[in-house]
Amino acid sequence: MSLNRERYLALVTLLEQLRSDATTTQIVTLELRVRIASLQQFFAQQIVPLTDEDWRVQSYQTEMSKQLRLLEIDVMFLQGARQASTAQTRLQTISDRLTILIQYCDAILQPEMEGEK
């Protein structure tokens, strides 16, 4: 699990950095699109090939894939925002979606608690 764990930790780092940049700086939409494309590429190359027989992990990976696609759509909506308030709302949506992705990674990284109960 150590290689898998390292890859998920790297993904969490990328997600947290992107979330931080999207909420604390005036990030350029084009830069955001490029970074999300890079994030999707990392996910496709480093996370998807990981084999795990745990149905929980497979479910989280499926949800993460879906959230990444929705993130791309959120950025397109951000690009089309004409008012500052709309852009701020779109950035909050992007931040929330990144938080969900981080939570999915955290759930995968958590050891099974069922065995301890």
Side-chain angles (χ1 to χ4, degrees):
M1 174 70 179
S2 66
L3 178 60
N4 292 10
R5 187 170 181 76
E6 286 177 23
R7 289 182 182 176
Y8 280 108
L9 289 171
L11 180 61
V12 168
T13 301
L14 292 171
L15 291 165
E16 287 175 341
Q17 185 61 51
L18 184 57
R19 183 180 60 180
S20 173
D21 291 348
T23 56
T24 60
T25 62
Q26 290 291 356
I27 193 163
V28 179
T29 309
L30 181 60
E31 179 188 347
L32 192 57
R33 285 185 81 164
V34 167
R35 289 182 60 187
I36 288 173
S38 172
L39 189 63
Q40 289 172 322
Q41 183 178 9
F42 178 88
F43 183 79
Q45 292 176 346
Q46 301 293 321
I47 303 297
V48 171
L50 297 177
T51 55
D52 198 313
E53 294 178 10
D54 186 349
W55 63 269
R56 247 180 74 254
V57 173
Q58 292 174 356
S59 295
Y60 281 123
Q61 283 183 346
T62 300
E63 287 301 313
M64 291 168 72
S65 179
K66 185 169 58 175
Q67 291 295 325
L68 284 167
R69 288 192 307 271
L70 290 171
L71 191 58
E72 189 176 11
I73 293 168
D74 291 336
V75 173
M76 286 190 293
F77 283 146
L78 173 63
Q79 229 174 349
R82 298 289 173 239
Q83 296 180 359
S85 61
T86 305
Q88 193 58 44
T89 301
R90 300 292 185 205
L91 280 171
Q92 184 59 51
T93 301
I94 290 168
S95 175
D96 292 346
R97 201 167 303 283
L98 289 166
T99 299
I100 290 168
L101 284 161
I102 291 167
Q103 290 170 343
Y104 287 159
C105 288
D106 288 344
I108 290 171
L109 290 168
Q110 292 299 317
E112 279 288 336
M113 299 302 249
E114 293 173 9
E116 296 177 12
K117 292 184 179 178

